[in-house]
Amino acid sequence: MTDIDVDAYLARIGAVRPEKTDYEALCHLQERHLMTVPFETLSFVEREIPSMTEEFVFDKIVRRRRGGGCGELNSAFALLLKSLGFRVVPLGGRVLHNGHSAFRGVHNGHLVLRVELDQSYLVDVGFRWASRRPLKIAERGMQKDEHGEYQLVHTPQGDIEMVHDGVLRWRAETHPRDLEDFEPLMWYFATSPDASSAGQLWASIVTETGRVSLFNRVLTRHRDGGKESRELTDDAEFIAEFEKWFGITLTEVPDLPRASQGV
C-alpha cells in the first residue's frame, strides 16, 4: 500500500484523527467524507479516463481537491481507512433502477466497501443515496439513518441488495475484489457511447439538511423532505454555483446538453 499523508487527507474532509479503529470513528470519517468530497463526473465530460490507483485517487481528491465517481471515492476512502488501521474489503456491485441494471452490460459498475470491526459493515461514500452511517451486514431489519430507512436483503444467490426508502438501489457481491478489477470500467464509463455517463455531468454532495445534486445544467436541492430544481442557463451563475456547492473552480462551463429535469 502506498504511504499517504493521512493528516492531509483528514484535513481535506475536516475529520479528526481517530484514537481507535471503532464504529464511532468509522461513522465520523464516513459522514465527513460524504459532506466534503462530492460525487462528480467532470472527468467524463472532459474525456479524462479516471483511475483507481492509490496515487491517482489521493492526488485527485486530496491535492487537487476534486471529487470523483463511485470507484474513485470508495477506493480513496479505502486507502484512508487502511492507512488508519481499519480492515477493508472492496466489493463489486451493480446500480439498479426498478430491479434492473442502470448500465446495460456492465458488471461491477459500482464499488462498495466491507469494513470489519466488532461485526461486518457496508460503507459507501460514492453513491447519492448512500447512508450517512455504516450499515450492519448481519442486520436483516430496517436500519434508520439521517438519509432515510435502509434494509440489506440477502439474496439466495449470496448477494446483498440495498433497499433505501422502499426502493432497490444496488446489488453487491460478497466475495472480495481487487481494485484492478474495476479499472476497465473507468475506460468504459468515460468513453463508450453506450454508457449513459459519457459526456454527462453529474454531481452530488451531502448537506446538513439533505443533499445538492447537479445533472448537466440542472441544479436540485433536496432538503426537509422536498426538492427544488432550476436550470443554470447563465455560465457565470453555473460556475459560481458549482464552486459554492461542490468546491471545484471552473474557468469555463463544459459543453453540456440543456435539460428540464432534476436529479
Side-chain angles (χ1 to χ4, degrees):
M1 186 179 68
T2 302
D3 289 332
I4 65 167
D5 188 339
V6 174
D7 289 332
Y9 203 134
L10 293 172
R12 167 70 173 97
I13 63 175
V16 177
R17 181 186 281 267
E19 296 181 358
K20 297 186 294 183
T21 54
D22 57 14
Y23 175 74
E24 288 72 22
L26 182 60
C27 288
H28 172 66
L29 294 168
Q30 178 173 335
E31 181 177 62
R32 292 309 308 155
H33 209 287
L34 285 165
M35 299 186 73
T36 55
V37 183
F39 174 92
E40 50 96 351
T41 62
L42 191 59
S43 294
F44 296 155
V45 177
E46 297 173 339
R47 291 297 189 264
E48 174 192 38
I49 300 176
S51 171
M52 294 169 62
T53 62
E54 294 176 348
E55 177 59 31
F56 181 91
V57 295
F58 181 81
D59 178 71
K60 184 175 183 179
I61 291 172
V62 178
R63 296 194 186 104
R64 296 163 55 194
R65 302 187 68 82
R66 284 277 304 277
C70 66
E72 296 166 282
L73 297 180
N74 280 317
S75 60
F77 193 48
L79 176 60
L80 174 64
L81 292 177
K82 289 178 181 178
S83 297
L84 290 168
F86 288 90
R87 291 182 294 153
V88 185
V89 178
L91 304 177
R94 276 192 172 198
V95 176
L96 300 173
H97 290 315
N98 298 319
H100 302 285
S101 177
F103 304 107
R104 180 169 59 88
V106 176
H107 295 274
N108 291 327
H110 189 50
L111 167 67
V112 296
L113 307 175
R114 188 178 78 226
V115 179
E116 301 294 346
L117 294 172
D118 58 312
Q119 59 181 293
S120 298
Y121 294 89
L122 273 181
V123 171
D124 189 353
V125 296
F127 187 59
R128 58 181 170 149
W129 302 114
S131 60
R132 194 178 292 192
R133 293 191 304 275
L135 298 174
K136 300 175 182 178
I137 292 181
E139 175 59 59
R140 265 40 175 192
M142 202 67 68
Q143 301 186 53
K144 294 188 176 182
D145 185 87
E146 289 88 345
H147 289 174
E149 294 185 336
Y150 293 81
Q151 186 173 15
L152 297 179
V153 178
H154 295 249
T155 73
Q157 294 76 27
D159 297 335
I160 298 176
E161 295 181 339
M162 189 273 277
V163 178
H164 166 245
D165 287 345
V167 179
L168 177 58
R169 302 293 188 186
W170 52 249
R171 179 186 301 122
E173 300 171 337
T174 55
H175 60 273
R177 286 284 185 181
D178 294 325
L179 291 178
E180 290 82 359
D181 296 343
F182 299 88
E183 287 288 346
L185 272 301
M186 298 291 101
W187 175 88
Y188 173 83
F189 285 135
T191 64
S192 174
D194 293 330
S196 59
S197 54
Q200 305 273 23
L201 178 57
W202 298 79
S204 185
I205 190 77
V206 172
T207 67
E208 291 288 352
T209 57
R211 64 184 173 89
V212 176
S213 296
L214 182 82
F215 176 54
N216 292 325
R217 283 183 173 267
V218 178
L219 185 75
T220 302
R221 295 188 65 185
H222 300 257
R223 53 183 174 178
D224 302 325
K227 69 177 184 177
E228 53 187 37
S229 301
R230 61 191 178 94
E231 191 167 10
L232 304 176
T233 56
D234 180 76
D235 284 2
E237 181 186 26
F238 183 99
I239 290 173
E241 292 292 314
F242 199 75
E243 181 172 9
K244 172 184 176 181
W245 293 112
F246 308 114
I248 300 171
T249 302
L250 300 174
T251 56
E252 61 181 5
V253 178
D255 183 17
L256 300 171
R258 297 179 184 271
S260 300
Q261 61 183 38
V263 293

